[in-house]
Amino acid sequence: MTQTSAGLGWQTAWKIAWRDLHASWAKFAFVIVAVALGVGSLTGMRSFSLVFQRTLLEQARNIMAADLSARDFHTYTDAELSRLDKLETRGVRHTLVTETVSMASTAANPDPLLVSLKVVDPAQYPYYGQVRLVSGRALRNVLTNDTAVVSEEFLLRMRTHIGDTLHLGNSQFRIVDVVRSEPDRISSSFGIGPRVMIAQAALPATGLVRTGSRATERILFRLPPTNSRQKQTIDVDALRKQVEAILPDAQVTDFREANPALVNGLHRATAMLTLVSLVTMVLSAIGVAMAIHAHLQQRLETIAIMKALGARSSQVMRIYSLQTLFLGVVGALLGIVAGSAVARAFPILLERLISLPVEGRLALSPVLIGMLTGILTTLLFTLPPLLEIRDFRPLRILRRNVEDDQRPGLGRILPRDRVQVAAIVVILLGLAAIASTLTQSTTVGEWFAGSLLLVLIFLLLTASGVLVAVRKLLQRYRAHFSPIARQGLGNLYRPGNQSAAVLTALGVGVMLIMSVYYMQHAIVLDLNNTSGSRKIPNVFLVDVGSDELPGIEKLIVAQPAVQGKLETIPIVAARILSINGVPADQLQIQHYPRRMLRVTSITWADTLPVGEKVVAGHWWPKGSAAQQLAVSERTAKLLHLQLGSQFAFQTGDQKIVTTVVAFYRSDGQHVYARSQFIVPSRVLAGQPVVWYGAFHADPARVGEVERSLFAAYPTVTVINVADVLEIVRKVVDQIAMIIRFLAGFAMLSGGIILASSVTATRFQRVREVAILKSLGALRKQIVSMLSIEFLMLGGIAGAAGVAFALALSSILLHKLDVSFHPGWAISVAAMLATAILASVTGWLACWSILQQKPLEVLREE
């Protein structure tokens, strides 16, 4: 015994493992294929998704024209600007954008017009995106200290042309071009009047902005380039903290908050891509587990002989651990090669479907994660079958195919000792670590491992219960079944069969694949119905009088270019008096301009407005006259409001004290998006009101609507953001396309992995088919028996998997605030498809067995 122990070192164990590998390459192909598919899918999809996310974030930056924005309603002091200048040493650039309103006139039309003035530094603005001019020229080439660019609306209202002289404050400017679109139009202040844009250097001479002026100062920041050394020392979160410290009263936002549609689309796409990565990882683990288990079951005779000759269990485990490690490494390396091909192929396949410039390259982190995942999952899922043979006596192993397991009920599938329980714990901890790495969230990793454990337990119990039910059914109604049907159903629980394992593996696979389908379907539907909808308002009306509103509604409805109806919001000017009894001028708040405490606006709504969602509290019943208040989630956070807070404001001569009963969140796409405070309509009855409006028009025909509105209502300001929203809509559509594509790829990969899992059981059927042939069974009878077994396995697994997928998807989608509408037709189709997949795959694996002669097989045994 001592010689045996000494003679079976690592080198000897590797020689035995290599000989076994060399003699059975065809069988080990299943392990390599399962690992390679899992690693390839994981590596390729994560590489592509990382690059795609970066591209989406670039689009989000284009909407803000910067990485970060700080907005305030007073001129920044020299001390503040000096501290901001120090950020230049870290590669952070910044530029000032001033927005205000002013009276303007032209030489052709001396009657002044109130305009929305935007003052920029053309050498720097914008950092991302571009100001599109009618001439097609760049802004920096046309905007100087004595020139201006204006909107088409300005030319219409002033009846003027390019080349005319514009009078603005104490200065004169020559109109040189027409602004077609601005990248940050949505994130800018909606000024009153047509757009006029001049250079920052020309502002002092106009005399328009001085201490106490009603101007919005917005500083745009740009981080260092991605490939620079400085980029490694500062990111957007670190920059935000520094800017908030320098400008404590400013409203600071980063590019991730620039447009809710794009941000929500990105958030949901990231969640979906993460789910896809986790699914491919688990499906790969299932394939590895099935293939390794089948291989070790086939090698139990060899293991029994080695143990009979004196080998210890630890020595046997050493042999097969080395073997498994080698297979995992080979499969992972092949997977990385496949992943590289996948990452490069995705942009080529999608170049006709999306217009985003997505690169096809393999990222380093997914390669390392994929490699470690492939090896780790291979080793982890080898533990249970290796530990299972630890206490087996050689005689019991040799007789396992003719002796039924005498352990009752659940004893056949539950762990036998503490070591196996510890192995399961190790597997779950390993999966949790992988999931945490993929999602960059420890909580997600813990929930993922825990949920997988619960699902496995439920599926094992379901599989065990179904097999027991089939057995009792045959015993009780044996005479009602034909011999072929009895044999086919009996195969589900014959000695040595792995029906419970196959049912569990298939069930988990179907659950994960269908979860991917349900989630991508719900997320894409939600994106199309909200963020990507062509009905989202893209033209806004400012300063509509109550007497003008009915006529404007009729005019909008009559316009052929307008789709949908006019959305309206009433605005009442107000002043905040106190919060919870603390006067407004004594409130301890930051990043909320104190000017907005003195001059703010309040609106009313008797029902929850379109595009708003209550996130805390409750909305009041229609017709309520209670002094209640709903506050936007962001404003409530800045003002430190809680449900039940007392909020007093004054409008006109009336003081109104309200109680905060709800916080709401806006999708940013409708007319109420910029509201901060909402009360029941009766609370503001009789107060002077100004209306704002919004509607959706064909982006190519917005000019027609603008001209019609100007002709009938020349005092109403029209703000066109159709171009910007069209960019957002196209990007969101492309997000949906990517989600569909990657989800389809994951489901295809999952189907292949599950097929290889079923195929791995073919070696268990060789002896059975040979014995049946020896006893005189015809080929068509064997075909019928196996078909019944495969269809039963696939049908049961499909039903269980779909049921769990429905439950899991509803929970995950609820977390993402996405409505879940299960498609029952596709659910039934998935059950049938699983049965067909199991049958077809089983037949592809067993077809060669039917061609073998019984004597050849029995001699090998």
Side-chain angles (χ1 to χ4, degrees), residues 536-558:
I536 296 298
N538 58 6
V539 179
F540 293 84
L541 307 180
V542 179
D543 283 351
V544 178
S546 297
D547 57 333
E548 297 174 314
L549 186 61
I552 288 179
E553 287 179 336
K554 291 180 182 179
L555 188 150
I556 294 298
V557 170

Side-chain angles (χ1 to χ4, degrees), residues 147-167:
T147 62
V149 294
V150 299
S151 65
E152 185 178 3
E153 184 189 2
F154 180 86
L155 298 181
L156 285 172
R157 291 198 174 197
M158 298 299 291
R159 296 181 177 87
T160 190
H161 303 88
I162 293 177
D164 287 351
T165 300
L166 168 68
H167 299 279

